[in-house]
Each structure stands twice: as C-alpha cells, then as structure tokens.
Amino acid sequence: MSAERIARRFARLKAEGRAGLVAFITAGDPDHETSRAILEGLPEAGADVIELGMPFTDPMADGPAIQAAGLRALKAGATTVHTLDLVRALRARDDETPVVLMGYYNPIHSYGVDRFLTDAKAAGVDGLIVVDLPPEEDEELCLPALKAGVNFIRLATPTTDDKRLPTVLRNTSGFVYYVSVTGITGAASAGDAEIAIAVERLKRHTDLPVAVGFGIKTPEQAAAVARTADAAVVGSAIVNRVAAGLDGDGLPKPDLVEDVLGFVRDLAAGVRGARG
Amino acid sequence: MTRPNTFRSGPDERGHFGIFGGRFVAETLMPLILDVERAYSDARADPDFEGDLKTRLKQYVGRPNPLYFAERMTRELGGAKIFFKREELNHTGAHKINNCIGQILLARRMGKKRIIAETGAGQHGVATATVCALFDMPCVIYMGEVDIARQQPNVFRMKLLGAEVRSVTSGARTLKDAMNDALRDWVTNVADTYYLIGTAAGPHPYPMMVRDFQSVIGEEVKAQMQEQEGRLPDSIVACIGGGSNAIGIFHPFLDEPSVKLIGVEAAGHGLDKGPDDHAASIAGGRPGVLHGNRTYLLQDADGQIRDGHSISAGLDYPGVGPEHAWLHDSGRVEYVSATDDETLKAFQYCSRTEGILPALESAHALVEVMRRAPTLSPEHLMVLCLSGRGDKDIFTVAKHLGVSL
Ligand SMILES: Cc1ncc(COP(=O)(O)O)c(C=O)c1O
C-alpha cells in the first residue's frame, strides 16, 4: 500500500460521485500526544485526505490561526522527526488515507532533502506541499520528490494566469491545490461562482483532481465548494477549534479531541451531502 | 572554490549568487516577482529612468555626499588614514533613501498605487515614508513592537510623513517578523501594491536591484578617493544588517584585488553566548531558505529560525543578503563582528573625536576601524561607510549608559 494512496482515494471519490474533505491540522499542536489523538481520529471523522502542517517559525503565507498553531507546536517541542513519528503512528492504524505534509522549505532543507524524502516515504507520507517552492525552484525538492515516488502538490492561485498555469502544472502530481483568494490562510473566502469558474479553468489544463482551499470555515461553505471542486480543504477553522479547546494555561481541556473531530464530522457531512 | 574571473557578474538569470539567492516565494507572489524583474530591466535600459534617478539623488537626497578625512580620529588611533563616507548626511539621515528613490520610481512605472515596507531601525521606514510623501502614494510600514519601542523618534517621523505604521506582534517582534507581515500584506494585495524592500535580501531581483541602487555609494568613493588621494582606497569597512550599505560600497571594488573589503556583523552580547544573543548570520549561522532566498541564517538544528539580538534595531535580522553569503564563501570579503558593548564605546568615541553621532549600525563598522587602524601604516587609506546618523539612537544609548532623558 504505497505511493498511490492519493490517486486511489480520488478514484474512489469519483466512483462514489462525491467530493472529498481535505482536513488540515498542524503536527504537534497543541502537543504531540493530543495531536496524535486528533490525527488518528481524522479518517473515522470523515477526512478523505489529511494535510499535516509542519510547524515553522516564519510561516509567511499563513494567517494568525495557523501561525499560532505552529508556535504552540514548536513550544511543545515539535520537530520534523516528531512530525514523521505522527505519520507513522497513523499508518499503524490506517494505510489508506493519504497524508500530505504542508509547510515551508527551510526545515526540510535543514533536515537534508534526500534524507527527508527517504524518511517521509518510509513513514507513509504521500505528498508534499511546500509553500515557498514555486516551479522556478523545482530542482530543490520537487524533482527529487517525484523521483523518490512522493507526490509534489502545487498551489495554483488567482494570480496564476493561463499563460503561467502550464508551468505550475508541469511537475505537479497527486492533485492541484487551488488557493481561491490572493491572501493568507484564514482570510475571507472567495464567492462560489468565482470558485466554479476557477475550477473549470484548471480542468481545461489538467486531468488531476482539483482541491480548493483558503477561507472555508463552515460545513455549508465546504458543501458549496464540494459541488464544483474534487475536494474542499479546511485548515484555519479546524485549527481554531484546537485553540478553543485549550484552558487558561494553554493545556488541552478533556473534550478537545472530541470537539475537533466532531467539527470535522460536520464538515464531512457537508461535503458528502453536497451533491445529493 | 575556484576563484572566478569577476566577482561582479552575479546574479545569474535565476537570481543565484553561487548557491545563494533564488526566488523562494509563494505562487501568489511569483507572477508579481517576475513583473518586478521585467520592469526593472526595462527601467535600467531607459535613459529617462537613469536621468530622473540621478537628478533626484542630486537635488533631493543631496548626493554626492563627502568622503571626509577624519583627521582627529586618524591622529588619535595612530595608523591608517581614516575616511568617512558620509551617508548620514543624505536627506533622512541614512543610505536607505538611495534605494527608496530608485524603487519608488520603478513602482510608479509599474503603475502601482500603494507602497508597503518593513523596517527595523526605522531608517528604511522613514526613507520609504518620505518618498511616498514626495510622490503622493499611500504607505504602510510594518515594524516590530520591540523596535517601535526602541526607535520612537523614527516612528513619529514616519507618522508625520503621512505613513501608517503597523505594529507587528508575532515572533520576536523585530525586523524578521515585520518582513513576514509585509509579505502577508503583499500576497493579499498583489494587484495594486509594491513591496519596497529595504535591504539587499529577499527574492530575486531584490538583492540585485537594491545593490544596484546602493552602488552609487561605492562609485562616489572611487571617484572621490581618486580626486583626493590620487588612487584607490586600501580597505573599506561597512556594517551588515541585510547588507545593503555594505554591498553598495563594496560592489564597485569587487574586482579591485588591492582593496580589502570588510563587513561587520552584530555580535550582540557575544558570539559565544548562543544564537539568540547575536545577529551574526555569517559567523554563527548556516545556509538555509528564508524570505525568498537561500543565504546564511541563524537557525536551530531543526531549521527553525532564531530571533537574533543586537543593540541596533537595523542589524537585528537572522539572515544576510545572498550576495554577501557568496562573497563570504568565495573569500572576496572578510566578515567580522562587533558586540553591543564595543559598539557603544565606538559610538561615544566618534561623537567626541569627530563631532559626529553615528548610527549604532554604523558604529559596529567603526569598532573594526578602531581595531585595525592602529596596526596599519599611515599610507593605508581606510574608508568607513558611515551609513547613518545616530540621533535616532540617543534614547537607546542613554538607557545603556544609565542616563534618563
Ligand atoms: C544607518 C543604518 N545602517 C545600516 C543598516 C543596516 O542595513 P543594511 O545592512 O541593509 O545596510 C541600517 C538598517 O536599518 C541603518 O539604518
């Protein structure tokens, strides 16, 4: 059960005639054990694909919610090794749900690209989204990742025009992540009509599944996206539920994990019911 | 590493200086970065742009500024003949304005309607606010909360100039965090906004462009030294924050092997104290990727960026421009460092011996001048890049000297 988890998952979604839910959490937020409990609960709660954020001190493309999640994780001792441990823990129970690591290049650069790819693949990682690696820097990580059998998922944005899209899509694999707004994570979402037009545009350029994210906060919004895209990505809203589950000392309250997973269940219900 | 034929050919078309530099930005920004690159290369080929830039540098900034023979300091230190390149006499009191004039002319050519910038010491913020006032453009300056507290005069100055100063509360609340927030603003407002980066760092073409706009410093030194002493200087010393004043004064001399070039990083409480106690990325960091380029960075074993520290808000940055990273590896420039305490002494020394209050940033370079000059012969011509004036720092200096104002 290896590299093609992403392709298999999207094939199954297609067969079921529905879009998927991509759920984002930050690895190690608010601490390793709690994060592991959330992660292990995500498939059952209805996450079709898991995006696991790799904490970084300087997340330039993230808004306050994901910035804070990363800092909580780092404060609790999160490292790249721990992030891969989390993936391994999940894989011990679930060998089907794709896991995509999302983050910034420096921690990977520091770990060493080859060593990182070997370890990530061995841990059960299926793909990478690295925000600060545009196609112009493909030699850094994208090409080595593809060679190692790890998907490299690219972000396309409203500023990626038709002329540039082929460049962005060229070495993309797994799926394409459409960032529906120009902005940082957690910002206001784009309108449904705009998203539909954008998805259609991407579909003219690629056969890969298109996931849409940035600004999706409620099951209703997720459902709206799920009517046009192949998957809806929810990040900040989930991470905000983690923040809301902390007590005054920043420690997890007893119902944190259940509350977060409950919210993911609601999102999944929205996505699953979207085309029905 | 083999010695290249020239040290002045970088960067390549992808923005690399050796392994350093590059364009490590989010996709949302990438088309814009390519636009900036195109617009900049068009501008450089346009004699009207060059002419406009020259006139404004002369009439508005006050260039050329003097290459001043610091006679008393030379006599007291008893060695090399010391000259100050007087960037502190520019309008707004530092070298930062050279770059701001160039970039705002570019932003106007590109039809941009709004300017954003990051600032540490506030000098770049003031210079940006100044050119925005001059060209009637709305201006938002991102500044760390800590820097706002220690650079009050500049914060007020920016407000008087009509800029909005946004306090940055993430991370260590200093320059690096201000740059993060400026980048976040930029991805959000890509269509109408121009990001006016203040140092020779960031994604290509910024390191090259900022260097080009600052090279006027070194060009003038070359001509002035020729006129005053009939030859090239023997050594040039400049402080390194992101490295814009240094690359500006060094670049015209990179292919003059007789000219020794020395960059001075901020050693804060001391290099031996740990990565959060200094801001010397070359001496105490290793290569990594941040803010759009690969360069030397202060980081922990896991690639998380450290906060760094310097008494000087303008040097308190955990990275350095990529061209400096390359000049270090290639051995063309020597990089040393100066601590907070040494800098405070140099600041006071310069004030008393030459009647010039240097910026704390520039005082770091002066520390190295004071170390070296006494060991050299009177024929040795040494240039200090006096990148800015110290008026903005008097509160910080007073505090460290235990004086309440
Ligand atoms: C007077 C002065 N010198 C030097 C610097 C450091 O910047 P750079 O290394 O880009 O010249 C600053 C930055 O604020 C400054 O204000």
Side-chain angles (χ1 to χ4, degrees):
Chain A
M1 296 286 134
S2 61
E4 290 318 309
R5 284 188 201 98
I6 294 177
R8 273 205 307 277
R9 177 54 46 103
F10 277 100
R12 201 179 96 192
L13 292 173
K14 197 168 179 183
E16 289 174 14
R18 67 175 180 93
L21 170 67
V22 181
F24 172 98
I25 60 168
T26 296
D29 171 35
D31 59 66
H32 191 77
E33 281 314 308
T34 309
S35 184
R36 192 174 62 133
I38 298 171
L39 181 65
E40 289 177 353
L42 283 177
E44 180 275 325
D48 297 297
V49 175
I50 296 168
E51 244 187 62
L52 192 57
M54 304 173 71
F56 183 47
T57 39
D58 295 82
M60 278 102 56
D62 285 302
I66 294 179
Q67 285 178 45
L71 293 181
R72 285 194 296 269
L74 288 173
K75 210 168 148 207
T79 63
T80 302
V81 168
H82 289 155
T83 298
L84 297 180
D85 284 344
L86 287 172
V87 178
R88 238 186 314 272
L90 174 75
R91 282 285 167 257
R93 312 165 147 243
D94 178 312
D95 202 23
E96 273 304 316
T97 308
V99 173
V100 173
L101 297 183
M102 177 161 187
Y104 296 81
Y105 187 34
N106 199 55
I108 298 173
H109 186 272
S110 172
Y111 195 95
V113 165
D114 292 339
R115 180 177 155 233
F116 175 79
L117 289 172
T118 306
D119 291 359
K121 191 160 166 69
V125 169
D126 303 289
L128 303 174
I129 300 176
V130 184
V131 178
D132 51 354
L133 284 177
E136 281 72 8
E137 302 290 351
D138 268 359
E139 285 156 34
E140 296 284 340
L141 180 66
C142 172
L143 299 180
L146 295 179
K147 221 169 121 197
V150 176
N151 287 289
F152 199 84
I153 293 131
R154 195 97 63 189
L155 306 177
T157 73
T159 60
T160 317
D161 60 17
D162 281 324
K163 203 164 133 260
R164 184 170 165 79
L165 253 182
T167 308
V168 168
L169 294 169
R170 193 173 51 229
N171 293 318
T172 302
S173 68
F175 61 94
V176 182
Y177 184 152
Y178 182 67
V179 173
S180 65
V181 290
T182 59
I184 51 181
T185 51
S189 64
D192 299 341
E194 272 173 81
I195 292 176
I197 293 168
V199 171
E200 224 172 90
R201 180 167 78 95
L202 283 167
K203 293 273 183 193
R204 280 199 300 275
H205 288 268
T206 181
D207 293 331
L208 289 171
V210 176
V212 173
F214 275 47
I216 303 173
K217 296 192 181 67
T218 64
E220 294 71 31
Q221 285 172 326
V225 168
R227 278 189 267 282
T228 48
D230 298 305
V233 188
V234 183
S236 297
I238 297 176
V239 156
N240 274 335
R241 293 299 271 252
V242 175
L246 300 174
D247 66 18
D249 298 322
L251 297 172
K253 292 187 230 167
D255 56 352
L256 184 150
V257 174
E258 207 20 66
D259 181 62
V260 171
L261 294 177
F263 180 57
V264 173
R265 246 172 244 125
D266 293 344
L267 292 166
V271 167
R272 282 161 202 246
R275 294 184 196 164
Chain B
M1 178 177 284
T2 53
R3 202 179 167 82
N5 294 328
T6 171
F7 288 97
R8 286 163 49 91
S9 62
D12 67 16
E13 68 289 348
R14 295 167 59 209
H16 293 134
F17 300 93
I19 65 162
F20 301 103
R23 290 177 289 210
F24 296 88
V25 298
E27 173 59 23
T28 311
L29 291 180
M30 200 58 219
L32 194 62
I33 297 273
L34 295 171
D35 274 352
V36 172
E37 189 185 337
R38 224 170 294 124
Y40 178 62
S41 102
D42 287 352
R44 281 269 103 135
D46 178 355
D48 288 347
F49 181 83
E50 293 296 321
D52 196 9
L53 178 61
K54 243 192 191 125
T55 306
R56 290 179 195 277
L57 286 177
K58 181 166 177 218
Q59 298 181 357
Y60 191 69
V61 175
R63 304 204 72 93
N65 56 45
L67 180 67
Y68 161 72
F69 170 43
E71 196 177 349
R72 187 173 163 208
M73 190 177 285
T74 297
R75 200 175 343 109
E76 289 206 1
L77 293 176
K81 197 167 176 183
I82 300 164
F83 296 81
F84 294 171
K85 179 55 178 164
R86 303 285 304 270
E87 291 299 309
E88 104 281 7
L89 292 179
N90 293 340
H91 178 43
T92 71
H95 68 293
K96 298 286 181 187
I97 189 97
N98 303 330
N99 166 50
C100 289
I101 295 271
Q103 285 200 52
I104 197 134
L105 292 178
L106 181 68
R108 278 161 54 91
R109 269 176 88 97
M110 295 179 72
K112 297 294 174 184
K113 300 279 178 270
R114 173 176 177 268
I115 302 290
I116 57 170
E118 83 296 338
T119 197
Q123 285 306 113
H124 175 58
V126 166
T128 304
T130 297
V131 297
C132 287
L134 182 63
F135 290 107
D136 191 22
M137 285 172 92
C139 175
V140 174
I141 304 292
Y142 288 90
M143 188 168 187
E145 203 176 34
V146 168
D147 291 337
I148 287 183
R150 58 180 167 174
Q151 300 288 342
Q152 273 301 319
N154 273 345
V155 174
F156 188 54
R157 214 166 276 153
M158 287 184 264
K159 290 181 180 164
L160 286 174
L161 290 161
E164 180 195 341
V165 179
R166 289 197 190 155
S167 173
V168 175
T169 54
S170 57
R173 294 165 289 142
T174 60
L175 186 51
K176 151 179 99 78
D177 313 290
M179 199 148 179
N180 288 336
D181 268 15
L183 284 164
R184 289 180 185 123
D185 181 313
W186 208 22
V187 274
T188 309
N189 302 293
V190 258
D192 68 340
T193 297
Y194 182 88
Y195 181 12
L196 207 163
I197 297 183
T199 191
H204 179 65
Y206 282 95
M208 169 182 80
M209 178 163 70
V210 175
R211 172 200 74 196
D212 292 350
F213 288 136
Q214 291 294 0
S215 290
V216 65
I217 306 174
E219 305 288 356
E220 284 178 14
V221 168
K222 216 170 191 177
Q224 289 166 323
M225 195 60 99
Q226 188 62 38
E227 190 189 314
Q228 291 166 222
E229 298 286 331
R231 64 182 182 92
L232 292 171
D234 297 298
S235 60
I236 300 176
V237 186
C239 69
I240 308 274
S244 70
N245 85 92
I247 200 69
I249 198 166
F250 291 166
H251 196 257
F253 295 97
L254 288 178
D255 286 337
E256 304 285 359
S258 70
V259 184
K260 200 162 172 43
L261 304 171
I262 303 131
V264 185
E265 297 192 292
H269 300 131
L271 293 183
D272 51 347
K273 292 276 170 13
D276 284 336
D277 281 286
H278 64 79
S281 353
I282 291 178
R286 60 194 170 86
V289 172
L290 180 71
H291 294 154
N293 64 106
R294 181 189 273 107
T295 187
Y296 280 91
L297 296 175
L298 297 180
Q299 53 185 318
D300 69 13
D302 208 44
Q304 304 295 340
I305 308 302
R306 305 305 294 246
D307 292 329
H309 158 82
S310 168
I311 188 174
S312 148
L315 303 185
D316 194 339
Y317 179 70
V320 61
E323 193 162 9
H324 286 292
W326 178 71
L327 289 168
H328 166 74
D329 279 15
S330 65
R332 175 62 187 95
V333 177
E334 181 183 352
Y335 294 88
V336 299
S337 64
T339 64
D340 290 353
D341 288 346
E342 291 171 305
T343 298
L344 278 166
K345 287 197 191 102
F347 177 94
Q348 296 169 80
Y349 179 73
C350 186
S351 305
R352 279 197 308 261
T353 45
E354 290 294 344
I356 297 171
L357 269 61
L360 279 173
E361 291 79 18
S362 328
H364 281 76
L366 184 58
V367 169
E368 186 62 13
V369 168
M370 291 165 66
R371 285 181 194 143
R372 273 176 204 247
T375 70
L376 296 163
S377 84
E379 282 82 55
H380 185 105
L381 306 178
M382 178 177 274
V383 178
L384 165 76
C385 187
L386 193 57
S387 56
R389 67 177 180 224
D391 307 55
K392 70 183 171 60
D393 294 314
I394 57 172
F395 297 96
T396 304
V397 173
K399 192 174 132 227
H400 281 84
L401 298 180
V403 178
S404 64
L405 295 181

